């Protein structure tokens, strides 16, 4: 087992079958060969990254949010907030109705802030 010589020169020749004429000849070393393979690998990976990261192709990646998804998420958050407010008002309405029927004082409905505070006290 000898020590590998990384600078040994190799020749790759392409010849015609019928005339045996040399069409192409390439000289390279082991170091140069591996360096060329590594460089080609990095260039291909960089090109794929640029293609995905800098074009609309990135929206085809599962789980990657696009502008439409963000807009829908904000709209849903607003709807959830308004639905929570409506539920709080309905709870206060039901509480006031039960208080009126039992002859007690009603809870004031001056603002949504008071309604939220009242719903917190009712939940306890």
């Amino acid at each position: 087992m000898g020590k590998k010589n990384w600078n040994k020169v190799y020749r790759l020749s392409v010849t015609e079958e019928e005339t045996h004429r040399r069409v192409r000849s390439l000289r390279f070393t082991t170091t140069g060969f591996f360096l060329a393979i590594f460089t080609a690998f990095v260039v291909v990976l960089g090109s794929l990254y640029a293609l995905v990261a800098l074009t609309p192709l990135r929206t085809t990646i599962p789980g990657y949010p696009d502008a439409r998804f963000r807009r829908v998420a904000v709209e849903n958050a607003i709807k959830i907030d308004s639905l929570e407010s409506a539920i709080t008002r309905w709870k206060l309405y039901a509480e006031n109705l039960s208080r009126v029927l039992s002859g007690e004082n009603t809870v004031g409905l001056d603002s949504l802030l008071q309604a939220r505070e009242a719903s917190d006290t009712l939940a306890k």
Side-chain angles (χ1 to χ4, degrees), residues 6 18 29 43 73 78 87 97 103 105 109:
W6 289 92
E18 295 173 1
T29 62
V43 167
I78 292 170
I87 289 171
L97 184 60
N105 290 336
L109 296 175

Side-chain angles (χ1 to χ4, degrees), residues 37-51:
I37 294 293
F38 178 74
T39 304
F41 183 71
V42 169
V43 167
V44 168
L45 283 181
S47 299
L48 286 175
Y49 175 77
L51 180 70

Side-chain angles (χ1 to χ4, degrees), residues 50-68:
L51 180 70
V52 171
L54 303 176
T55 63
L57 187 62
R58 67 177 170 242
T59 58
T60 61
I61 298 172
Y64 189 87
D66 58 346
R68 183 180 52 85

Side-chain angles (χ1 to χ4, degrees), residues 92 95-96 99 105-110 114-115 118-119 121-122:
L92 286 172
E95 178 64 26
N96 278 336
R99 286 182 180 220
N105 290 336
T106 60
V107 177
L109 296 175
D110 294 337
Q114 286 180 349
S119 78
T121 59
L122 291 176

Side-chain angles (χ1 to χ4, degrees), residues 15-124:
T15 58
E16 284 186 23
E17 179 71 23
E18 295 173 1
T19 62
H20 297 289
R21 185 177 62 96
R22 188 179 334 167
V23 177
R24 191 84 162 155
S25 180
L26 179 68
R27 291 178 45 164
F28 59 91
T29 62
T30 307
T31 306
F33 177 74
F34 286 120
L35 185 63
I37 294 293
F38 178 74
T39 304
F41 183 71
V42 169
V43 167
V44 168
L45 283 181
S47 299
L48 286 175
Y49 175 77
L51 180 70
V52 171
L54 303 176
T55 63
L57 187 62
R58 67 177 170 242
T59 58
T60 61
I61 298 172
Y64 189 87
D66 58 346
R68 183 180 52 85
F69 176 76
R70 179 156 170 75
R71 185 177 60 246
V72 168
V74 169
E75 289 173 0
N76 287 341
I78 292 170
K79 287 178 185 177
I80 288 171
D81 187 46
S82 63
L83 287 174
E84 286 176 345
S85 300
I87 289 171
T88 303
R89 284 181 295 198
W90 276 99
K91 283 182 180 178
L92 286 172
Y93 174 78
E95 178 64 26
N96 278 336
L97 184 60
S98 66
R99 286 182 180 220
V100 167
L101 293 176
S102 66
E104 299 174 10
N105 290 336
T106 60
V107 177
L109 296 175
D110 294 337
S111 70
L112 187 58
L113 181 60
Q114 286 180 349
R116 286 187 180 164
E117 288 173 2
S119 78
D120 289 343
T121 59
L122 291 176
K124 291 180 182 176

